[in-house]
Amino acid sequence: MSARCSTDSPCCVQRIEDKGREYGSYVRSREFRWFVRETGSPDARRGTIVFLHGAPTQSFSYRVVMAQMADAGYHCFAPDWIGFGFSEMPQPGYGFDFKEEEFHKAFDDLLGTLNITEPFFLAVQGFLVGSYGLTWALNNSSKVLKLAILNSPLTVSSPVPGLFQQLKWPLVGEFTCQNAVLAERFIEAGSAYVLKLEKADVYRLPYLSSGAPGFALLEAARKVNFQDVLRRISSGFSSNSWEKPILLAWGISDKYLPLSIAEEFKKANPNVVKLEAIEGAGHMPQEDWPEKVVKALIYFL
């Protein structure tokens, strides 16, 4: 592993604070300020794709996929969820309590602000806010043309990583959420590699800059009922409830979610679910092997 600067070093923050904002800009949507990445043109011939990240990461993970999908003729957006990445970090109790329905409402508002008024392709990855992307899709199926899912909990048998269990514990959660290397360690623990320093810097930066992202993650983790969310996802995308095409682009080296989760999900709706196993990729295939994700997406879309 490369040597890394101390997490409490001011020079470290100054050195990396301009990193990780590829294709991104700030957008005001009602009361919140979002950081949104955008590639491609509104006139893109093949349509619009919205990419949603999971916790505790950010839209930075999609940067390579977005660039290549724009080259393939798509208009792409990837926001940092409120409380994550470079988006606004509202204080709990002051207009945002980090509940599922509030994330849904804020995302609806953002789509309007971005003028995404026609049905679009949706790509989702990860835990917690990633799952909220899927429950939003269930509530808004008419707005979704096709759905791509990258390594997300999909069944009631999906394991919950220890990080989210620790966040629910009194005192332990408060300590855990303020660990500046929390995001990069979570990514590394889900894959068979160590992040390069320049990438780790970006995932670390929000947690170095302020305590707010950690407390946002803490609030979201404590408000979620994982089993209830997984029950709704499992039943909502079953053959009796969902007809839109679904791609599972699954990193088979994921140490959190084994391939068996994707296989179980596919069995519940085999006519619409296509499973593409991505060798060499772990929990975040868009970061691990973006070229293979792009190939799967282009073929599917």
Side-chain angles (χ1 to χ4, degrees):
M1 183 185 301
S2 302
R4 296 174 179 174
C5 62
S6 169
T7 57
D8 59 0
S9 169
C11 66
C12 178
V13 177
Q14 293 168 7
R15 181 171 62 81
I16 67 175
E17 62 185 2
D18 60 340
K19 289 186 178 181
R21 290 174 168 81
E22 291 91 334
Y23 317 118
S25 60
Y26 285 97
V27 175
R28 172 66 64 175
S29 178
R30 293 190 183 270
E31 65 267 42
F32 299 118
R33 189 169 179 250
W34 293 74
F35 182 79
V36 181
R37 300 175 197 273
E38 179 182 6
T39 61
S41 164
D43 300 322
R45 67 189 185 281
R46 292 187 172 176
T48 298
I49 311 174
V50 177
F51 295 90
L52 296 178
H53 69 86
T57 64
Q58 52 175 287
S59 64
F60 176 72
S61 65
Y62 287 114
R63 65 202 179 281
V64 178
V65 170
M66 291 180 66
Q68 295 185 15
M69 293 305 292
D71 290 341
Y74 294 91
H75 188 200
C76 304
F77 293 94
D80 285 347
W81 282 107
I82 295 299
F84 293 82
F86 301 118
S87 285
E88 187 168 345
M89 310 287 171
Q91 188 174 354
Y94 291 85
F96 199 82
D97 285 329
F98 297 92
K99 297 178 180 178
E100 178 181 5
E101 59 269 23
E102 293 175 311
F103 282 108
H104 285 182
K105 174 62 165 59
F107 182 57
D108 280 328
D109 292 340
L110 178 64
L111 291 176
T113 300
L114 297 176
N115 198 31
I116 302 176
T117 57
E118 299 294 326
F120 58 90
F121 303 112
L122 179 64
V124 176
Q125 187 273 329
F127 289 92
L128 191 52
V129 285
S131 295
Y132 291 166
L134 294 178
T135 55
W136 179 91
L138 288 173
N139 294 339
N140 296 273
S141 60
S142 63
K143 298 179 182 180
V144 178
L145 291 172
K146 294 183 178 182
L147 175 63
I149 304 175
L150 287 66
N151 293 67
S152 301
L154 299 173
T155 66
V156 292
S157 60
S158 300
V160 177
L163 168 65
F164 299 108
Q165 299 173 23
Q166 291 174 21
L167 289 169
K168 288 180 176 289
W169 297 341
L171 300 181
V172 175
E174 281 78 0
F175 177 79
T176 300
C177 78
Q178 293 305 308
N179 184 351
V181 298
L182 178 153
E184 67 189 86
R185 291 292 184 261
F186 182 82
I187 296 169
E188 291 172 341
S191 301
Y193 68 96
V194 174
L195 281 173
K196 292 183 178 179
L197 178 59
E198 59 269 22
K199 296 178 183 179
D201 278 345
V202 178
Y203 288 110
R204 179 191 304 173
L205 180 56
Y207 299 93
L208 276 174
S209 302
S210 161
F215 285 117
L217 175 64
L218 181 71
E219 286 294 320
R222 288 182 171 176
K223 297 290 172 58
V224 67
N225 181 331
F226 281 110
Q227 285 303 304
D228 174 64
V229 170
L230 292 177
R231 277 193 295 269
R232 284 186 280 128
I233 289 173
S234 180
S235 62
F237 288 111
S238 68
S239 58
N240 295 328
S241 307
W242 184 271
E243 298 179 351
K244 303 289 182 69
I246 297 176
L247 168 69
L248 301 181
W250 206 268
I252 62 175
S253 297
D254 189 345
K255 297 181 180 180
Y256 298 126
L257 297 168
L259 183 63
S260 59
I261 298 296
E263 293 171 338
E264 180 184 349
F265 181 81
K266 177 177 170 60
K267 286 180 181 178
N269 199 346
N271 292 329
V272 304
V273 177
K274 171 181 171 56
L275 175 57
E276 184 75 26
I278 301 181
E279 294 187 10
H283 181 60
M284 292 174 59
Q286 72 271 32
E287 179 72 79
D288 299 352
W289 212 306
E291 295 80 8
K292 290 186 178 182
V293 172
V294 167
K295 182 178 179 180
L297 284 175
I298 290 176
Y299 182 81
F300 172 67
L301 299 182

